[in-house]
Amino acid sequence: MSLETDVRALESELEDADHTRRRQRSSLWTELGDWLRQPGALLAAPPMLLLALGFLGPLLLVAAFSLIPPKTFDLGGAWTIRNYVDIVTESYWISFAWSFALATVTVILLMLICYPLAYAMTKVFGRAANILTLLLVIPLFVSENIRLFGWVLSLVKGGVLPGAAELWLGLDISGLLYTVPAIVLGLVYVYLPFMLFPMVLGLSMVPDRLREAAVDLGASRWQLFREIELPLAMPGILIGCLLTFILALGSLAESKILGGSAIVMIADDIESAFTFAQNWPKGAALSVLLIVLAGGLVFAVLSRLDLDKILGRG
Amino acid sequence: MNSATPATTESAAPILRLQNVDKLFGDFVAVERVNLDIREGEFFTIVGPSGSGKTTLIRMLVGMDKPSDGNILLRGTRINDVPANKRPTCMVFQSLALFPHKTVGQNIEFPLKIRGVPPAERRGRCERLLQQLHLPQDYYGKAVGKCSGGEQQRVALARALAFDPEILFFDEPLSAIDYRLRKALEKELKDIHRETGKTFVYITHSLEEAMVMSDRIAIMRGGRVVQVGTPDEIYNRPRNRFVSEFMGEVNVLEVARDGDRLRDGASGALLQGPAMPEGFTKGFLVIRPEAFRFLNGTADATPNRLEGRLYNEYSLGSRMQYQVHVGGGVFLVEKLREQRYQGQLDDSVTIGWDPAEAMLFEE
């Protein structure tokens, strides 16, 4: 009798525990359900999945490959940092240095070229700015390599530009192709829209009233630029700089097509490691290093500059 | 009213003189033949409805636009072609145009920084201005976006005062402010005008606002200046129907001459008006709501009596307003609250006014 009571009591206790557990599980399920029911969550799910499979997955795979022994393809083996040690001890720093240097020069040149152009497009040209936009966008429909080969034909000895320069100006620029300046020319040419359009956006965010107020308070053209236009357009300028810097850093075609074998940029090294050398782990390690260096630089710049503060929302 | 205003000196030479100033945009005449003399130290207000050309006019005075024709003279020197940043004047904008990326202190110090005043001196001037405009000293480092509307007004004014202009222009800076704050800021602005002794030129669409602050008012319509005068002159002797109507709610009767009297078109009543100008045939009789009296019996001897029906009443705070229907005409009558009409809606009432209190205009 007493045993039966005890068993029953135990049973009911277990039952209670089970209930609690089930209740907990169901509450977790309802929470998930609630989360999925909130606006946008389901709509965001397909792109999230795509990003996870198509972007994050391969990145992790590259990171994993960078940690296996050189010239192997087996992810199951022992992990090592040999590849990174090799990179540091070998002369890869030269490729890294060229890439960073050329990307920096490209960004600086693009800033100088694009600011007046962006200013004109937002403030001076009026409706003609649309035509200019179209003219700048149309070349993007042509493959980058074809456009670069166009430059090869223009710059090659006896080509359009050296020929014209010699005929009309008496200048000999036939040696320009396959040099570093030719690579810079290609980088600036290809990435111009990526600096120009964010800059146009940034400059169009500067209200005319603020310009007028600054001028009314005595500001000269230069003071207006320094005190009002530049800081207020800074978000757009920064985005343009980051975009073009990252793109130029990872560029490959410009140095190969316009630079010939003048220099080797890091993307070139990565490509060789994956293709000719069949050394995937080293290519992966170089890629990881480039991502880390570029990412670190971007984060350093972004954390130094508070966009909210620039926009006066801080 | 005039006795309380500081002597703005009829005799003083004008600090700013406009001679036949025109502004054309293509074929559109925005400002036409404007002649104005603005005197040293006065609070001068240009009033007009939207599209009257007042904004175009002030943009020319500040130097952001050039006149198509005519002259703008600052202390006798022609400044038509002097750009805004070379003029010793500045403006408080309608949108205030505070720099969002700068703090309150940096905004106020901006004109000083432009002139290369050293930071320590800038800071001192800025702190005095914060104090003068009743802004707390710790606002120096505050983001302008975090200030309230009224505080932003004061920052904009402080920035303009830091410039130390010979003439301070205002482009409707109070139009976006709620009523009570606006009333307070209007008075504050007039106080600051007194303290600084500077020449203020203010534009607004509200004659009421102009009345509160101004020493003199110019009224614009369709690009032309219709009337210039002190608030008293504008109020008591409006030059035409437009000016009288601009002042606020008035009764406008379309009248035609009938012997030595006037016949009201809407009610058909025969009225006694003020003295008629030579050759007057028809025009408008303007009567302020407060000129009306409710008449009891025949004790009141006014020749103007209209019998009608009390249609509705509105409470305007210290005053009461009544809508009285007379034949086909609608009249607005205003009384002080303590003199309010004792009776009910739909009462038959008789309203009357003294002929001299009405204004007669031909246009």
Side-chain angles (χ1 to χ4, degrees):
Chain A
M1 196 59 174
S2 78
L3 184 72
E4 210 179 275
T5 333
D6 279 351
V7 168
R8 256 198 215 142
L10 192 66
E11 266 177 2
S12 77
E13 239 173 66
L14 283 172
E15 228 174 63
D16 276 352
D18 198 41
H19 267 292
T20 323
R21 217 177 300 136
R22 218 180 294 160
R23 224 177 293 135
Q24 268 171 358
R25 196 182 304 146
S26 76
S27 83
L28 198 70
W29 275 115
T30 45
E31 250 175 56
L32 186 67
D34 284 347
W35 187 82
L36 279 174
R37 260 193 295 277
Q38 74 179 344
L42 276 175
L43 270 176
M48 296 275 267
L49 198 69
L50 194 72
L51 276 178
L53 289 177
F55 177 71
L56 209 57
L59 267 184
L60 290 173
L61 212 58
V62 167
F65 259 103
S66 76
L67 293 170
I68 63 173
K71 303 198 174 180
T72 61
F73 298 91
D74 182 14
L75 278 174
W79 287 16
T80 167
I81 56 162
R82 253 300 288 291
N83 301 303
Y84 291 98
V85 175
D86 284 352
I87 289 168
V88 174
T89 50
E90 288 163 24
S91 60
Y92 282 104
W93 67 272
I94 299 175
S95 314
F96 273 108
W98 272 118
S99 281
F100 274 88
L102 289 183
T104 307
V105 169
T106 304
V107 167
I108 290 168
L109 285 176
L110 277 173
M111 272 201 285
L112 295 177
I113 294 167
C114 290
Y115 190 87
L117 197 55
Y119 192 88
M121 283 173 78
T122 46
K123 293 295 154 204
V124 184
F125 289 168
R127 239 178 251 162
N130 290 334
I131 298 167
L132 192 64
T133 306
L134 199 69
L135 288 175
L136 284 162
V137 168
I138 284 174
L140 294 178
F141 288 96
V142 180
S143 144
E144 187 188 323
N145 287 358
I146 292 176
R147 281 185 284 146
L148 288 174
F149 277 117
W151 275 110
V152 171
L153 292 179
S154 306
L155 293 172
V156 77
K157 200 171 183 139
V160 179
L161 284 178
E166 201 174 341
L167 186 64
W168 288 324
L169 303 171
L171 275 173
D172 179 21
I173 55 164
S174 56
L176 193 58
L177 192 61
Y178 307 131
T179 61
V180 173
I183 302 174
V184 173
L185 174 78
L187 289 170
V188 167
Y189 164 72
V190 168
Y191 298 125
L192 183 116
F194 300 94
M195 178 67 93
L196 182 66
F197 292 122
M199 237 181 203
V200 166
L201 210 65
L203 270 171
S204 64
M205 288 193 322
V206 185
D208 281 339
R209 284 283 167 273
L210 295 190
R211 284 177 225 273
E212 284 179 348
V215 171
D216 185 42
L217 291 165
S220 64
R221 190 68 199 79
W222 167 253
Q223 286 167 323
L224 177 63
F225 166 76
R226 183 67 203 79
E227 294 283 334
I228 308 299
E229 288 172 341
L230 193 63
L232 285 173
M234 198 42 95
I237 297 174
L238 263 185
I239 290 167
C241 288
L242 286 177
L243 263 181
T244 47
F245 185 81
I246 298 296
L247 286 171
L249 196 63
S251 66
L252 179 64
E254 290 78 11
S255 66
K256 284 188 112 170
I257 297 173
L258 292 174
S261 53
I263 56 156
V264 177
M265 287 177 81
I266 190 63
D268 207 353
D269 272 341
I270 294 173
E271 200 212 9
S272 317
F274 274 108
T275 54
F276 298 122
Q278 284 293 302
N279 192 351
W280 287 21
K282 175 165 281 176
L286 284 170
S287 305
V288 169
L289 216 52
L290 184 62
I291 291 169
V292 168
L293 284 173
L297 198 77
V298 168
F299 277 112
V301 169
L302 280 183
S303 62
R304 288 272 309 273
L305 293 160
D306 186 350
L307 284 186
D308 277 343
K309 204 171 171 191
I310 289 168
L311 290 169
R313 296 189 197 117
Chain B
M1 192 168 161
N2 237 357
S3 58
T5 24
T8 47
T9 56
E10 297 276 336
S11 56
I15 184 168
L16 194 68
R17 168 167 279 176
L18 280 74
Q19 293 174 328
N20 290 324
V21 170
D22 282 345
K23 180 68 185 179
L24 285 83
F25 294 108
D27 288 341
F28 176 71
V29 183
V31 167
E32 193 177 5
R33 303 272 120 192
V34 168
N35 287 286
L36 281 177
D37 275 355
I38 293 165
R39 297 170 196 149
E40 182 99 51
E42 77 175 333
F43 197 132
F44 191 90
T45 304
I46 300 165
V47 192
S50 56
S52 61
K54 59 186 191 302
T55 301
T56 311
L57 187 65
I58 204 163
R59 285 180 65 85
M60 290 190 284
L61 299 185
V62 177
M64 289 187 282
D65 277 331
K66 284 181 189 175
S68 307
D69 198 10
N71 291 317
I72 300 172
L73 306 171
L74 180 71
R75 295 192 199 283
T77 314
R78 188 173 181 274
I79 55 164
N80 286 28
D81 303 318
V82 179
N85 55 359
K86 297 280 195 303
R87 291 190 190 191
T89 61
C90 75
M91 176 156 95
V92 176
F93 285 68
Q94 180 166 22
S95 59
L96 301 182
L98 293 173
F99 306 129
H101 58 299
K102 292 178 183 287
T103 64
V104 168
Q106 288 169 335
N107 264 279
I108 296 173
E109 288 179 9
F110 182 79
L112 303 172
K113 189 178 178 188
I114 290 299
R115 256 176 250 167
V117 177
E121 196 186 329
R122 288 199 315 240
R123 177 95 198 214
R125 296 260 287 275
C126 179
E127 278 166 3
R128 280 197 296 282
L129 282 163
L130 285 172
Q131 194 184 358
Q132 189 181 2
L133 291 168
H134 314 297
L135 285 164
Q137 289 296 332
D138 59 6
Y139 269 42
Y140 185 85
K142 192 171 180 173
V144 284
K146 292 215 167 148
C147 294
S148 71
E151 288 161 358
Q152 290 186 354
Q153 294 281 342
R154 292 194 179 99
V155 175
L157 184 55
R159 186 178 68 178
L161 287 172
F163 182 85
D164 196 23
E166 291 195 28
I167 305 175
L168 187 43
F169 293 97
F170 297 87
D171 180 9
E172 299 204 51
L174 301 181
S175 60
I177 299 274
D178 73 84
Y179 184 81
R180 275 181 55 198
L181 183 59
R182 192 168 74 227
K183 290 286 135 198
L185 287 170
E186 281 169 7
K187 288 184 182 150
E188 208 174 300
L189 201 57
K190 188 165 187 180
D191 294 346
I192 286 164
H193 173 248
R194 238 203 112 182
E195 280 167 36
T196 57
K198 289 195 178 301
T199 310
F200 280 22
V201 177
Y202 193 99
I203 71 167
T204 174
H205 60 268
S206 160
L207 188 55
E208 194 193 345
E209 192 170 299
M211 289 277 182
V212 173
M213 299 184 290
S214 315
D215 297 321
R216 287 196 308 146
I217 296 169
I219 292 173
M220 284 191 77
R221 182 195 194 188
R224 286 169 167 272
V225 172
V226 182
Q227 187 171 4
V228 183
T230 64
D232 271 2
E233 285 165 357
I234 301 274
Y235 186 80
N236 291 323
R237 293 193 297 279
R239 187 164 292 166
N240 58 26
R241 181 168 74 105
F242 172 76
V243 176
S244 68
E245 276 186 294
F246 206 52
M247 209 103 61
E249 284 182 305
V250 289
N251 296 290
V252 180
L253 283 62
E254 209 177 329
V255 292
R257 185 174 194 149
D258 194 335
D260 60 346
R261 294 188 147 206
L262 300 163
R263 186 167 298 280
D264 174 25
S267 65
L270 208 54
L271 309 170
Q272 175 94 50
M276 270 180 269
E278 195 77 22
F280 180 86
T281 51
K282 62 184 174 133
F284 301 93
L285 193 65
V286 174
I287 312 164
R288 292 216 175 85
E290 61 268 28
F292 281 113
R293 305 192 286 277
F294 288 105
L295 304 179
N296 288 318
T298 51
D300 200 310
T302 178
N304 290 320
R305 307 172 73 89
L306 294 171
E307 308 224 346
R309 183 168 68 94
L310 181 63
Y311 179 75
N312 216 341
E313 70 168 2
Y314 316 99
S315 176
L316 307 179
S318 63
R319 291 161 300 130
M320 298 295 296
Q321 195 181 64
Y322 303 93
Q323 195 186 119
V324 178
H325 288 190
V326 179
V330 175
F331 290 84
L332 289 176
V333 179
E334 258 175 47
K335 292 278 114 191
L336 288 174
R337 187 170 277 277
E338 48 271 27
Q339 295 162 9
R340 64 190 295 170
Y341 173 74
Q342 306 289 340
Q344 285 157 6
L345 297 184
D346 285 329
D347 278 359
S348 285
V349 291
T350 307
I351 53 172
W353 71 97
D354 290 332
E357 287 200 63
M359 295 168 283
L360 189 63
F361 302 110
E362 282 183 273
E363 46 165 326

